[in-house]
Amino acid sequence: MTKTSKNIAIIGSGLVGSLLAVYLRKKGHSVTVFDRRPDIRTIEFSGRSINLAMSNRGWRSLQKVGLEEQIKEIAIPLDKRAMHVNDKPVYFQKYGKGGEAIWSISRGILNKRMIDLAEDTGAVFRFNEKVWDVNLPEAKIYTGESEKSEWKEYQYDIIFGCDGAFSRVRHKMQRRSRFDYSQDFLDVGYKELTIPANEDGTHKLDKNSFHIWPRGKFMLIAMPNIDGSFTCTLFLPFEGEVSFEKITTPEEAKAFFKEYFPNVKKEIENLSQDFFKNPTSAMVTMKCYPWTYWNKVALVGDSAHAIVPFYGQGMNAGFEDIYVLNELMEIHGDDWDTIFSEYQKTRKPNADAIAELSYRNFVEMSSKTANPKFLLQKKIEKWFATKHPEKWIPVYSRVTFSDRPYAEALAIGDKQEAIMKEVMQMPNIEEKWDSKGVEEMIIGLLDNQI
Amino acid sequence: MTKTSKNIAIIGSGLVGSLLAVYLRKKGHSVTVFDRRPDIRTIEFSGRSINLAMSNRGWRSLQKVGLEEQIKEIAIPLDKRAMHVNDKPVYFQKYGKGGEAIWSISRGILNKRMIDLAEDTGAVFRFNEKVWDVNLPEAKIYTGESEKSEWKEYQYDIIFGCDGAFSRVRHKMQRRSRFDYSQDFLDVGYKELTIPANEDGTHKLDKNSFHIWPRGKFMLIAMPNIDGSFTCTLFLPFEGEVSFEKITTPEEAKAFFKEYFPNVKKEIENLSQDFFKNPTSAMVTMKCYPWTYWNKVALVGDSAHAIVPFYGQGMNAGFEDIYVLNELMEIHGDDWDTIFSEYQKTRKPNADAIAELSYRNFVEMSSKTANPKFLLQKKIEKWFATKHPEKWIPVYSRVTFSDRPYAEALAIGDKQEAIMKEVMQMPNIEEKWDSKGVEEMIIGLLDNQI
């Protein structure tokens, strides 16, 4: 060990904690990962849990430490949305240019693989050990059986809180003065359901699509698993006319699917059984600041910025935190004060931007994707972007297929939206949407904005 | 006791907890008030701590239970602002119409008196007893020496959390799903200083004024005490060019006052000593929702809605919570589900409104009160309001001297501000501000808004 190598604790063995362990081991630090849960690799597990969409930022962060290829083995590329509107054929929307795709991965399978890979680099994992308290200025953590039991004290040089949206490490920071914090829940909840594989192991729906059944105030989505199944997620208001609150019996669940999702109803496995066996979960946007304490403690991933899942960027944003931390470690060496200070200053505006974009995508996916005017607008944007790829990169592409800052994507997206608002008000836009006039108008508006 | 009388715990013996105890005792409930601190009446205390401005909403809430006159004995009416700008004579601004005033009261003196009055009604106070945990659905509280000591369990019918901005009761609610919460700190802190009385016990500055020394990004204020002294509060950024961070020695403190507050410097008692003896405190806006749990637990006052102090409405808003709760108890009798549900639905928008108004008043008091254009705008508003009192009630009066909802004051204030923005853009407004033309323009704009 060089004298700049540190003794580091990571709280949380999830995706962000595991990847950070790999990065820190590669820099020569000593790394111990604590998790209050048992080792996910020892748990009986269907492989069908929540699905993640890995995109450019996530891949880049894996690639930097040589893990990209190993993870691609357990991922399925999705190059388009498949829109399911009742009484109409399935409508496909390509995500980007040729070859651009998001990748469907099971959270459980990925997490197991990431812990294996982190252990291979020499990180030590301590499962079933819950951190109850943190001494921030001295970088000490306290673990034990319960809040009132005897605690064990550990002393580290640096502590990373990778313990998710309800972070214990952040909780300790939150009790200090001048710590800004907010948690905002959506009035919409979600529930996981499953479409099993065909008997021959193939997928029942197009395997390389992200499937969406938009229904105004609610929607169903499906993402493929490598075992041939699909993980479906039903997003539905907790209360109101059509809501989880109103579905309390198997008959009501069947009637709900029959009315709103007739074509997928027969595919969903044990619909009425799963519906009541699986929990209804809430979604939260969590923001806070600062993210660090001196050169001792830093929050990374959901513990610093939990977002709603509608842009598929939660894990990608967390992995990008690590990528940025690594860049700063390379620039500033052993100066952890500067590393942490630059880290939070750089990442905070981008975390706020992806929180906003994710919330907006919720509105777009659930209510606008079935709206003809919205679809026309998207069509015009795509047509113009294809003709002038240097002038118009859609926000979705900036977020998903680039590594430019999220805050930039949000700002440019707002400008594009203002332009499209004017374009959509042109008389007879439905007929002349791909005319020279529209093209020139967009170019003129783009030039005016500069 | 009638069968509808409840066994009620109030957590927190501050102003809101004490007044709520009086109200609940008058309804025949059994009331125990817990506080982790010692009895404030037993503490050596200068009587000069933080000052409060009691206005209409506070008085109305006291009057309802017959306490108004007893509290007026310890209060001083302020009917105007006294603006201190360097090298200019003091400028006075009347707050409202004749007789309208806010009342300066010492928090400590008021709190002692309120606890006496609550005890007179039969409320029981348990001081030095800290609540560590709350069982929300069963309305149980747990107290003890420390978080890890043996706890004592109490069972109640209803629990009220009146335990302030860092409420333990709310903390327990916050850990549930779908609890929205935010805390936002200002980058400006404050420090208390004192101007002592003259030797004959009279006040060194005008006794019936709220004194302000506006200095752009910071300011000093002073409010009178009944012992002839003034409590001053210096509001100053924590960091930056002129900031608490930059004042670290007695010499720097003296130089700061000499430069920015030369006329008041000599009056401040032990300036350099107090400056470093008294703490620098932070200010937070705290919002949350819901405020209640079933018919078991409710948050009242700062625990539900902490605001920055720049409208002098923190205590008034908390007292009004109690007034509204009492109205609902009178309507809904023993139906606590409805009382709590209506309470939070009614009060939440008003709490959000006074939070916004308080934040805006911070901007106004610190930066705009020295701006000639702003002063002219205020002069025009006052002139028009005097001519047409039925058409134009200033927001400050709506908040301070009326009992209409805060949310209404905010909405009407926004409309008035839009009108004044147009008026201030009239050419030569400085010369013709009190002309027939301006009067007619305002009337026209008011008519257009309806």
Side-chain angles (χ1 to χ4, degrees), chain A residues 255-274:
Chain A
F256 168 77
F257 273 85
K258 195 175 165 191
E259 178 166 359
Y260 296 107
F261 305 105
N263 296 336
V264 74
K265 177 174 166 284
K266 64 179 188 305
E267 315 287 11
I268 293 182
E269 186 182 43
N270 303 319
L271 171 60
S272 48
Q273 192 185 313
D274 274 18

Side-chain angles (χ1 to χ4, degrees), chain A residues 377-426:
Chain A
Q377 180 178 326
K378 289 287 145 192
K379 200 159 75 174
I380 298 172
E381 290 179 40
K382 173 148 259 171
W383 161 78
F384 185 82
T386 309
K387 284 194 114 164
H388 301 281
E390 79 293 349
K391 284 188 197 292
W392 194 283
I393 302 168
V395 186
Y396 188 88
S397 296
R398 290 178 187 274
V399 168
T400 311
F401 305 123
S402 95
D403 48 28
R404 300 288 306 162
Y406 288 129
E408 182 185 284
L410 176 63
I412 292 171
D414 283 345
K415 288 183 181 174
Q416 290 177 341
E417 193 60 32
I419 288 173
M420 290 310 298
K421 203 174 165 187
E422 294 201 40
V423 170
M424 294 304 289
Q425 280 166 356
M426 289 172 80

Side-chain angles (χ1 to χ4, degrees), chain A residues 29-46:
Chain A
H29 302 295
S30 175
V31 176
T32 308
V33 184
F34 289 82
D35 204 302
R36 66 191 175 91
R37 293 164 303 186
D39 187 343
I40 190 174
R41 296 167 301 183
T42 65
I43 295 171
E44 196 65 47
F45 167 66
S46 72

Side-chain angles (χ1 to χ4, degrees), chain A residues 270-287:
Chain A
N270 303 319
L271 171 60
S272 48
Q273 192 185 313
D274 274 18
F275 198 92
F276 297 100
K277 199 184 67 191
N278 295 349
T280 304
S281 304
M283 288 171 282
V284 68
T285 300
M286 191 286 302
K287 298 179 181 177

Side-chain angles (χ1 to χ4, degrees), chain A residues 20 32 45 60 88 116 135 192 196 212 244 345 375 411 435:
Chain A
L20 180 58
T32 308
F45 167 66
R60 183 175 68 147
K88 284 193 183 167
D116 282 340
N135 179 325
E192 306 271 346
I212 309 182
F244 281 117
K345 266 190 268 179
L375 293 175
S435 65

